[in-house]
Amino acid sequence: MDITLTTPAMLFPAISLLLLAYTNRFLTLASVIRNFDLSQDNANAQAQITNLRTRILLIKRMQEAGAASFFLCVLSMLAIYANYQTIGGSIFAFSLVLLLYSLWLSVREIRISVEALDMYLSHLNIPLGKKSK
């Protein structure tokens, strides 16, 4: 299968937007960490800190994998431009694998984020109200 120069180029906007979304997640999480109430001395606070550390690590890996995918995408375009179709196609395939890994990490981080919100809501002990008809 021959890959043209435009095939990897089509990923540029997607990867750029993905990296922007990852950066926004990181900045939001950094703000949460900076505003964390350290006066809490209970198991819930410790669980929240553990959760935040895990999420920061996942976001770091997401950004690394996304940036590496972007780098390999550009490298594959360079190889294809230099008429190294097989090498360019292989590099592009690896770029896609890294992008897939980055997306998988993103799903993991979202799941952990939802668990953190559940943990926070359970700490508030607010009973669920009945839905009105």
Side-chain angles (χ1 to χ4, degrees):
M1 177 178 150
D2 285 336
I3 295 176
T4 65
L5 197 56
T6 57
T7 304
M10 289 190 327
L11 281 183
F12 270 54
I15 295 174
S16 297
L17 288 174
L18 197 61
L19 290 175
L20 182 63
Y22 292 167
T23 300
N24 286 340
R25 278 180 163 166
F26 175 78
L27 292 174
T28 301
L29 196 56
S31 176
V32 167
I33 290 170
R34 287 186 182 103
N35 295 323
F36 191 78
D37 184 13
L38 293 175
S39 65
Q40 299 178 23
D41 189 28
N42 57 29
N44 190 22
Q46 186 59 42
Q48 288 179 13
I49 290 170
T50 301
N51 184 292
L52 291 170
R53 286 180 192 260
T54 303
R55 289 176 60 200
I56 283 289
L57 180 64
L58 282 174
I59 291 173
K60 178 184 123 183
R61 288 182 184 162
M62 287 162 34
Q63 289 175 323
E64 290 171 345
S69 174
F70 199 33
F71 176 81
L72 290 178
C73 194
V74 172
L75 192 61
S76 73
M77 288 176 63
L78 185 61
I80 292 168
Y81 180 74
N83 289 324
Y84 293 107
Q85 291 292 326
T86 306
I87 294 171
S90 298
I91 293 171
F92 181 65
F94 193 59
S95 169
L96 292 176
V97 169
L98 282 175
L99 185 59
L100 189 61
Y101 175 65
S102 176
L103 291 170
W104 178 73
L105 289 173
S106 176
V107 170
R108 284 185 58 202
E109 195 273 331
I110 290 169
R111 292 179 61 94
I112 291 171
S113 177
V114 169
E115 289 172 10
L117 290 173
D118 285 342
M119 184 187 321
Y120 180 76
L121 290 174
S122 70
H123 176 70
L124 295 177
N125 293 325
I126 298 174
L128 293 174
K130 293 186 180 183
K131 294 182 181 179
S132 61
K133 293 182 182 181

